[in-house]
Amino acid sequence: MYSCDTSMGKRAMYNSDGEMLVVPQEGALKVQTELGWLDVPPGHIAVLPRGLVFRVEVEGPSRGYVLEVFKGHFDLPDLGPIGSNGLANARDFEYPVAAYDETSDAAGVAGTYDWQLVNKFGGKMFETKREGTPFNVVAWHGNYAPYRYDMAKFCCINSVTFDHPDPSIYTVLTCKGDGNGTATADFVIFPPRWMCMDNTFRPPWYHRNCMSEFMGMVWGKYDAKEGFRAGGASLHSCMTPHGPDAATFNAASNADLKPDKFDKGLAFMFETDVMLSVSQKALDAEHRDKEYFRCWEGIPRNFEKVVTTSGKRKR
């Protein structure tokens, strides 16, 4: 997660370790890259390829989320039987045009090292000074470039009969893993959508799996958790059971199953088959919710043993 309130000025960065996917939650980002500018307001995402020099301008307090992958690149998921259209369509990803930086001495003044260049390498930060701006590309071609995507353009695929599809049906981008059915990282969103399944508990089911799930909120509320606020986050590590809280369970279990449009928020998930560790700084944070587990208290037991007069047990 990131939080900032000041533009980078004559300071730029590139990441030698991996590719970064950025999800603004509050405050628009104006990202200058070697290949041009990207305007990235909340509701959009940006992907910055490994090794690309960039800097960020903000207009005030800004915060959001960053997913970094150290192997492979983000790509569209295979659509399989969905066919040629659906989910995130290739036509909706936007790339910058070349923007030669003329606002400062592009060539620099000999002996004047007025730009700072930061390099993330091997998990550490290194910096150097350079003459003139690094954003001096006049034109470019190719497909190794930064891009942005408006999540409002995501085309949801959902059940129109019964049952609850796996959340992977909401995958925007994926970085494929080594094994079938797994991913180094998936970027999944839960946008406004219609829910109309018959005889179905509509929020996400209770489950555990081999993927670790980091959840975040861009705006509004999440349909499976009360009190999960925009700008917050949760981490459900692999093989740890989780699902809707008690209030959501009770409401969904008694809901009238008519077609219902959920338009109260935009949540997302970073999902990975890599084992994640939590930093000590995060564990010690004052704003960490140490009572989070209590959201599952109060879920009733709906099945009990019944002993009949014949001595046989029923449920």
Side-chain angles (χ1 to χ4, degrees), residues 6-285:
T6 304
S7 298
M8 293 177 66
K10 287 190 173 183
R11 194 180 192 207
M13 175 184 174
Y14 67 100
N15 186 347
S16 295
D17 292 343
E19 189 161 275
M20 294 187 293
L21 186 153
V22 184
V23 187
Q25 186 274 317
E26 180 180 308
L29 304 180
K30 190 174 179 63
V31 185
Q32 184 179 20
T33 77
E34 291 177 279
L35 306 186
W37 289 88
L38 290 174
D39 291 322
V40 193
H44 290 62
I45 62 169
V47 172
L48 303 174
R50 182 180 182 183
L52 186 83
V53 178
F54 69 93
R55 60 182 285 274
V56 179
E57 293 183 358
V58 296
E59 295 182 352
S62 304
R63 65 186 181 191
Y65 311 82
V66 180
L67 172 60
E68 182 180 10
V69 293
F70 305 109
K71 180 180 180 181
H73 302 279
F74 289 106
D75 200 355
L76 292 174
D78 295 330
L79 294 185
I82 292 175
S84 59
N85 301 301
L87 308 187
N89 292 304
R91 65 176 181 266
D92 293 324
F93 288 82
E94 299 175 300
Y95 293 80
V97 296
Y100 183 80
D101 187 358
E102 296 180 337
T103 59
S104 61
D105 7 312
V109 178
T112 303
Y113 296 88
D114 55 345
W115 275 83
Q116 182 183 36
L117 187 61
V118 179
N119 175 214
K120 181 176 181 291
F121 188 94
K124 296 181 180 180
M125 297 293 190
F126 299 86
E127 63 181 58
T128 187
K129 300 288 187 177
R130 60 165 284 154
E131 296 179 354
T133 175
F135 306 108
N136 53 4
V137 175
V138 176
W140 65 272
H141 69 93
N143 54 20
Y144 192 77
Y147 54 87
R148 74 171 188 173
Y149 175 73
D150 180 355
M151 290 181 280
K153 295 181 178 180
F154 187 79
C155 179
C156 289
I157 304 294
N158 210 339
S159 172
V160 294
T161 51
F162 64 92
D163 216 344
H164 193 294
D166 189 277
S168 60
I169 203 70
Y170 301 116
T171 301
V172 178
L173 292 169
T174 184
C175 180
K176 296 180 180 178
D178 295 326
N180 290 332
T182 64
T184 300
D186 282 334
F187 175 62
V188 180
I189 65 174
F190 305 101
R193 62 200 180 278
W194 280 97
M195 294 183 285
C196 56
M197 302 84 81
D198 289 328
N199 303 317
T200 299
F201 180 78
R202 292 179 179 175
W205 61 73
Y206 296 93
H207 65 286
R208 57 184 174 184
N209 56 22
C210 64
M211 307 286 277
S212 292
E213 302 174 2
F214 177 93
M215 292 284 303
M217 280 294 303
V218 178
W219 62 270
K221 58 172 289 186
Y222 182 44
D223 61 331
K225 284 286 190 305
E226 296 288 339
F228 191 54
R229 298 179 181 178
S234 67
L235 175 63
H236 297 141
S237 298
C238 70
M239 297 306 171
T240 301
H242 56 281
D245 58 19
T248 302
F249 173 84
N250 292 327
S253 298
N254 297 287
D256 180 9
L257 294 182
K258 64 181 186 302
D260 179 48
K261 185 172 184 179
F262 177 79
D263 57 1
K264 299 179 179 65
L266 172 60
F268 72 88
M269 181 167 66
F270 297 154
E271 191 174 44
T272 178
D273 64 357
V274 177
M275 297 291 288
L276 298 178
S277 60
V278 182
S279 69
Q280 194 60 47
K281 182 177 181 180
L283 291 173
D284 294 339

